[in-house]
Amino acid sequence: MTTNQSTATNLVEVVYQEDLTKKGLADLRKQYPKSFSLDMSDEDEFKQGRKIRTERNKLVKSINDRRIGFTNELKAYGDELISKIDVIYDPIINAFELEDKRRKDEAARIAKEREELLNKQRDEIAQMNDFTQQCQGQGSQFIADTIEAVDLIDTESFDKELIHEAIDTKKSILEALNTMYQTAKAAEAVEAEREQLRIQQEAIKQEQQKQEQARVIEQRIDNLRRDPMNYKDSPSNIIAARITQLENYTPPASDFGERVNEVIALKADVIAELQDRLEMAQFKEEKQQRQAEAQAAVEARQIEQLQTEVTQSAEQAEQQVHEAQAEAISAQEQSEPLLGNSFKSPVFESTSAPTGYTPLSLWPSSQDRADNDELDRICDQLDAAESYIEAQDVLIKDLEQRLNKAHAA
């Protein structure tokens, strides 16, 4: 090993002898000192600069060529030397490298397995936090089961690198779950009280509904029981229609519940009572019909007599008016004082309605006239006759006044 190193050193010294190198560098520094400079703007000095560059390039190339040649020669010698050395060392080195590789592979495998184990345990530690999320909004029993599951986690099985983290995480998770458990228990207690109150209120409500339903059923039954009283003075056709309606009516259990049979029996009693009222109504209506017919006959005779009197009074009034007009005309045609002092006229002396006619003071009612077309027609004629008589009376009074004025003159 020492011999080989000496040989390589000798070769270097042959290629680059220190004395030669130092002398050559000294000559170059002497030839081109730091104070040496050229004016490159001068053409001759520019050309001199080019020659100096070419000289430099040749020197560098020569040194580089020698370095490359030496390197190739040295590499070939070194390769041969390394080959011989490898033959000597290979049995030991190969065995060492095989064992070294095996150990490194085993160490890598162990490191990988440990890293996988650590990653798995890190995931397990991270998953502990999921227990808190899972218990959000859950009941106390669910949280209690979760606490039991977390408590069973064996933190001693974790790697020494992670065991403290696992212990601390488990502790904090259990504390959080215990807080959630207490909160859930308190909320459930409140909810249980609310539910108990709701059940009590629901029971009260159902009892009230039951009582209200019983009251409504009792009211319906009472209404049915008093139904005949609603038809006390009703016409027979209304009562008959109600009887038909009840006969076709089947009391539903939804309206009367367990008392539906009672209602069916009551319905029969109500129908029987309505039948009695129907018979009474029919009897009363027949009696009223006979009375109405008799009354109509009396009224017809009265109307006929009244019509005769009206006609006679109108004719009498008209006759008196004609007589008065004739006397007035005759008096005007005479040359003696108007009518004279002895003029007497029953027409002019009268200041009331014509003799023999007395205006009606009591007329038939509007309802009677509405119920009897013939009576209404006669009353209209009578009203027209009285209007005519009143107009004639006004005319007679006017004539009388005019005659009296003429007599006074």
Side-chain angles (χ1 to χ4, degrees):
M1 196 71 178
T2 304
T3 304
N4 291 335
Q5 290 178 348
S6 298
T7 303
T9 301
N10 293 336
L11 291 172
V12 172
E13 291 176 350
V14 170
V15 177
Y16 300 105
Q17 292 183 10
E18 184 177 357
D19 294 339
L20 293 175
T21 303
K22 288 182 178 180
K23 185 178 184 303
L25 292 175
D27 291 342
L28 287 176
R29 289 191 186 98
K30 184 177 181 181
Q31 184 177 357
Y32 303 112
K34 290 182 178 180
S35 60
F36 177 80
S37 63
L38 295 174
D39 183 6
M40 295 302 172
S41 62
D42 183 84
E43 184 64 24
D44 292 336
E45 291 188 9
F46 176 76
K47 290 179 180 181
Q48 185 182 354
R50 178 181 293 168
K51 290 177 180 180
I52 293 172
R53 186 187 67 174
T54 301
E55 179 184 328
R56 193 278 315 262
N57 290 342
K58 286 181 178 180
L59 179 59
V60 170
K61 184 177 182 300
S62 176
I63 294 171
N64 192 51
D65 289 345
R66 180 159 303 181
R67 179 187 62 79
I68 293 173
F70 167 74
T71 300
N72 291 336
E73 182 182 350
L74 181 63
K75 183 178 182 304
Y77 179 81
D79 288 344
E80 181 181 359
L81 185 60
I82 289 171
S83 178
K84 292 176 181 180
I85 291 172
D86 286 343
V87 172
I88 297 170
Y89 284 98
D90 275 351
I92 299 172
I93 298 303
N94 289 339
F96 171 80
E97 289 181 349
L98 286 174
E99 178 60 19
D100 186 56
K101 182 179 183 302
R102 185 193 67 77
R103 291 187 181 189
K104 289 180 179 178
D105 291 344
E106 180 65 15
R109 182 189 65 79
I110 293 172
K112 181 180 179 182
E113 289 180 353
R114 185 169 184 276
E115 186 62 28
E116 290 176 351
L117 175 64
L118 291 176
N119 289 336
K120 179 181 178 182
Q121 291 182 351
R122 290 189 184 99
D123 290 340
E124 291 176 358
I125 293 173
Q127 288 173 2
M128 288 185 192
N129 295 311
D130 294 342
F131 289 112
T132 305
Q133 296 298 325
Q134 293 171 1
C135 290
Q136 293 291 340
Q138 298 294 334
S140 61
Q141 186 58 49
F142 183 89
I143 299 174
D145 294 340
T146 304
I147 291 174
E148 184 177 355
V150 174
D151 195 48
L152 292 175
I153 296 176
D154 182 16
T155 54
E156 297 298 327
S157 63
F158 283 82
D159 187 86
K160 62 181 180 180
E161 183 178 333
L162 299 174
I163 187 169
H164 294 294
E165 181 182 352
I167 291 172
D168 292 342
T169 301
K170 176 181 177 180
K171 181 180 178 182
S172 88
I173 294 298
L174 287 174
E175 289 175 354
L177 290 177
N178 278 316
T179 301
M180 294 175 68
Y181 174 77
Q182 296 300 329
T183 303
K185 286 289 290 183
E188 288 170 359
V190 173
E191 183 60 28
E193 292 179 1
R194 289 178 179 174
E195 179 63 17
Q196 183 63 28
L197 179 61
R198 188 193 66 78
I199 293 173
Q200 293 176 355
Q201 291 176 343
E202 184 65 24
I204 294 173
K205 181 179 179 181
Q206 290 179 355
E207 180 62 26
Q208 290 175 344
Q209 290 176 346
K210 184 178 180 180
Q211 293 177 359
E212 177 62 17
Q213 184 179 16
R215 186 194 67 78
V216 171
I217 291 175
E218 181 63 33
Q219 183 64 44
R220 290 171 179 166
I221 293 175
D222 188 57
N223 290 340
L224 180 61
R225 184 181 294 111
R226 293 187 292 103
D227 191 67
M229 295 300 297
N230 298 329
Y231 298 90
K232 180 178 180 181
D233 297 320
S234 298
S236 61
N237 62 328
I238 301 298
I239 300 174
R242 179 56 176 168
I243 291 173
T244 302
Q245 184 182 21
L246 288 176
E247 289 176 342
N248 294 330
Y249 171 67
T250 301
S254 59
D255 288 348
F256 297 98
E258 298 177 352
R259 301 182 67 180
V260 64
N261 292 330
E262 176 186 348
V263 175
I264 293 174
L266 177 61
K267 186 186 80 168
D269 295 340
V270 170
I271 291 175
E273 187 173 349
L274 286 173
Q275 288 286 1
D276 293 340
R277 289 192 177 278
L278 175 62
E279 293 176 0
M280 293 175 60
Q282 290 174 340
F283 175 79
K284 182 178 179 180
E285 288 171 359
E286 291 175 357
K287 180 179 179 181
Q288 290 176 346
Q289 179 65 25
R290 291 192 297 270
Q291 292 176 348
E293 291 175 353
Q295 181 65 26
V298 171
E299 290 178 354
R301 290 193 296 270
Q302 291 177 348
I303 290 171
E304 183 178 357
Q305 181 179 356
L306 181 60
Q307 186 176 14
T308 300
E309 292 177 356
V310 168
T311 301
Q312 291 175 354
S313 297
E315 291 176 351
Q316 182 179 0
E318 185 177 2
Q319 180 64 33
Q320 291 176 352
V321 169
H322 288 311
E323 290 177 356
Q325 290 176 343
E327 290 178 2
I329 293 171
S330 176
Q332 289 178 355
E333 291 177 351
Q334 296 177 1
S335 58
E336 60 183 20
L338 290 175
L339 303 181
N341 294 327
S342 62
F343 176 77
K344 301 291 184 181
S345 172
V347 174
F348 295 119
E349 292 175 354
S350 175
T351 59
S352 60
T355 304
Y357 174 71
T358 303
L360 288 178
S361 60
L362 181 62
W363 286 73
S365 66
S366 299
Q367 184 63 42
D368 292 338
R369 294 179 63 174
D371 292 340
N372 193 319
D373 293 340
E374 181 63 20
L375 176 62
D376 186 58
R377 185 184 66 80
I378 293 173
C379 287
D380 287 340
Q381 291 181 351
L382 179 60
D383 184 56
E386 287 195 348
S387 297
Y388 177 75
I389 293 172
E390 183 179 358
Q392 296 300 320
D393 184 50
V394 171
L395 179 60
I396 292 171
K397 288 181 179 181
D398 180 64
L399 292 173
E400 182 180 15
Q401 290 174 358
R402 291 169 61 187
L403 291 174
N404 289 334
K405 288 180 180 181
H407 178 71

